[in-house]
Amino acid sequence: MRDPDVFSGTLLMLIAAAGYIYSNTIDIVDVIGMREDFYPKFLFVSLFLCGLTLAIKGYKRPVCKAFPKFDYKQLLLIAVVMIAYILLFEYLGYIPGTLLFLISAMYVFGERRTKYLLAVPLLATGAIYLLFTQVFLIVL
């Protein structure tokens, strides 16, 4: 294969297609004007588009022979941050927990600029909160 991203993107598209087809088996009861299969289908379409973007970028990128060195320490740190987020979510709630998680994850991945460590988590948390509470009508 030309680039690992082409393979990964294609795999994501196949998983998304299978999930979308499987979401057709959800029993439909139109209660609040939004069908039960809307959210899963929305996620699978989004996953498909992400996979498509990844595959296209990988196809257009020049061939790279060497893979970057894998950082197991970083993997362990992000796993710890995710487990802490899951365990503390019930106690902190969505907004403070997600802010702390995103700041910690960005720091683990190497971001050190304060304006990004504050702005990105604030905007992402707010956007996700509004999307779920106002569009999907899901209480967080």
Side-chain angles (χ1 to χ4, degrees), residues 61-126:
R61 184 177 27 240
V63 178
C64 178
K65 298 291 182 196
F67 286 100
K69 186 177 179 183
F70 191 75
D71 187 0
Y72 289 99
K73 180 181 175 188
Q74 191 177 37
L75 176 65
L76 180 63
L77 284 172
I78 199 65
V80 168
V81 169
M82 291 176 82
I83 291 169
Y85 176 63
I86 292 167
L87 295 174
L88 294 174
F89 188 87
E90 185 178 339
Y91 302 105
L92 296 177
Y94 170 76
I95 293 176
T98 303
L99 283 171
L100 287 173
F101 168 72
L102 289 175
I103 291 169
S104 302
M106 288 175 65
Y107 191 83
V108 167
F109 284 122
E111 183 60 58
R112 299 295 186 263
R113 296 171 290 187
T114 307
K115 64 181 178 181
Y116 290 110
L117 283 172
L118 296 177
V120 171
L122 281 171
L123 291 173
T125 302

Side-chain angles (χ1 to χ4, degrees), residues 1-11 58-59 63-65 67:
M1 179 140 309
R2 187 182 155 100
D3 189 279
D5 286 347
V6 175
F7 175 77
S8 299
T10 304
L11 184 63
Y59 184 75
V63 178
C64 178
K65 298 291 182 196
F67 286 100

